[in-house]
Amino acid sequence: MSYQLDLELRHLKYFLAVANELNFRKASEKLFISQPGLSRQIKQLEEILEARLFIRDKRQVQLTPAGEYLKSEMEFFLNHLERTKKHLKLINQGKKGEIRMGFVGSAMQTVIPELLVKMNEEFPGIEANLEEMTNRAQVNAIQNDQLDIGFVRLTRVPPGIKIKNIYKDTFSIVLPKDHELNEKNFKGVHQLANENFILFSSDYSPLYYDEIMSICEDQGFTPKISHNSIHAQTIFRLVENKLGIAIVPSSLQYGFALDVKFIEIKDIPQETYLSMIWKEENRNPTLTNIIELLEE
């Protein structure tokens, strides 16, 4: 019982440092404490919790199953603690709190600007913190309580996360401005069968990747992929320099001043959806306000 009373926040921070580095020397340098001192703190934590957290030998450090579990729980706990501290500070300043949003690039061209305007009008006391992130990074951040809401292009999410489509989009071809194809003579994607394609990486969005591959395959060819990227501006810059052509959601054509042109691909079954995701157990009171705005 006395051990439980000795558990302090520093123990958990020290544990996470070692768990992330899997190296006591590197962790001690980051924490600005001695390596023997860090080892003593970890040993004390293991005694308090009555569980072995690390397997240590002269060559490597590994987490035990108990250590793996504690790592995932403590990442959530410390993230939640930091959010609570910031939320309290904002409330003390007379604000309603903070909403942390992750988004893929196309959301900034469609949903987010309008949402921010509505927020300022209806909930001026909510402070928005925005970060552009990949789909996968947003899911991980929401699971770890680092984000409140994400704007993604996914069809499936892990248990405990809710997903709702909020914007339907078409696909467009991206070509150099002087390319021979234009809206008048464009008949179909099959006209581009011999071109090099620049695609969003399948790691960035497997859904995007599969949709674009199916668009080409429906037209009777498999695209020759010359480059992959996770950033729309990089893709457009490569197209501008005639290193290939691209297929992207049509909403991405806004906000970039580059020498490229967009031709919407019509009469195809493929569509892409922008969805919002959030954690069912999220207790941030401002999240309900934001979801209500989006559902309008």
Side-chain angles (χ1 to χ4, degrees), residues 89-274:
K89 185 177 180 181
L90 291 169
I91 292 171
N92 191 52
Q93 294 170 351
K95 297 183 178 180
K96 290 186 177 180
E98 177 194 37
I99 188 81
R100 299 159 304 166
M101 303 182 193
F103 64 93
V104 291
S106 55
M108 189 55 76
Q109 313 302 328
T110 52
V111 172
I112 290 180
E114 184 179 349
L115 173 62
L116 294 178
V117 171
K118 285 184 178 180
M119 280 177 56
N120 287 334
E121 291 173 351
E122 299 190 34
F123 305 105
I126 297 178
E127 183 175 296
N129 187 326
L130 295 96
E131 184 176 356
E132 184 172 355
M133 306 169 71
T134 65
N135 294 300
R136 185 178 299 171
Q138 289 185 65
V139 170
N140 290 339
I142 284 176
Q143 287 180 313
N144 291 325
D145 204 32
Q146 295 169 310
L147 285 181
D148 296 302
I149 192 166
F151 296 93
V152 299
R153 293 187 183 273
L154 295 170
T155 55
R156 294 185 300 275
V157 289
I161 294 180
K162 299 195 76 172
I163 183 168
K164 185 169 185 178
N165 294 338
I166 55 174
Y167 185 84
K168 184 169 75 172
D169 207 351
T170 60
F171 285 100
S172 287
I173 297 284
V174 190
L175 303 165
K177 266 211 174 144
D178 60 357
H179 196 283
E180 61 183 3
L181 286 182
N182 55 48
E183 288 187 358
K184 290 184 178 179
N185 62 22
F186 178 69
K187 305 300 181 185
V189 179
H190 63 274
Q191 292 172 279
L192 300 163
N194 295 322
E195 299 271 4
N196 289 320
F197 278 73
I198 304 161
L199 301 184
F200 280 104
S201 169
S202 59
D203 291 333
Y204 171 77
S205 177
L207 179 64
Y208 258 10
Y209 191 88
D210 291 344
E211 289 276 19
I212 291 167
M213 293 297 286
S214 71
I215 289 171
C216 295
E217 288 165 358
D218 285 352
Q219 296 280 313
F221 72 98
T222 299
K224 296 181 293 182
I225 302 168
S226 59
H227 299 85
N228 291 283
S229 178
I230 63 171
H231 296 294
Q233 184 160 355
T234 300
I235 290 174
F236 297 163
R237 185 68 73 183
L238 291 169
V239 173
E240 181 184 51
N241 285 280
K242 301 181 180 179
L243 294 171
I245 61 103
I247 300 177
V248 301
S250 298
S251 58
L252 274 173
Q253 65 188 283
Y254 306 109
F256 297 96
L258 298 172
D259 286 332
V260 297
K261 60 184 176 184
F262 295 79
I263 303 174
E264 185 178 357
I265 309 170
K266 299 177 180 179
D267 301 321
I268 60 172
Q270 290 84 0
E271 296 172 330
T272 180
Y273 288 88
L274 183 71

Side-chain angles (χ1 to χ4, degrees), residues 60-105:
Q60 62 181 355
V61 176
Q62 291 179 298
L63 284 164
T64 64
E68 290 280 5
Y69 173 74
L70 183 63
K71 180 174 184 285
S72 65
E73 291 297 304
M74 287 307 101
E75 284 174 338
F76 171 80
F77 169 74
L78 292 175
N79 287 332
H80 186 76
L81 180 62
E82 285 302 312
R83 189 195 74 172
T84 302
K85 286 164 60 179
K86 186 169 184 179
H87 220 71
L88 282 170
K89 185 177 180 181
L90 291 169
I91 292 171
N92 191 52
Q93 294 170 351
K95 297 183 178 180
K96 290 186 177 180
E98 177 194 37
I99 188 81
R100 299 159 304 166
M101 303 182 193
F103 64 93
V104 291

Side-chain angles (χ1 to χ4, degrees), residues 48-65:
I48 291 169
L49 297 178
E50 300 180 358
R52 189 180 185 190
L53 303 174
F54 295 100
I55 300 171
R56 287 162 277 188
D57 59 34
K58 293 182 180 179
R59 292 179 297 175
Q60 62 181 355
V61 176
Q62 291 179 298
L63 284 164
T64 64

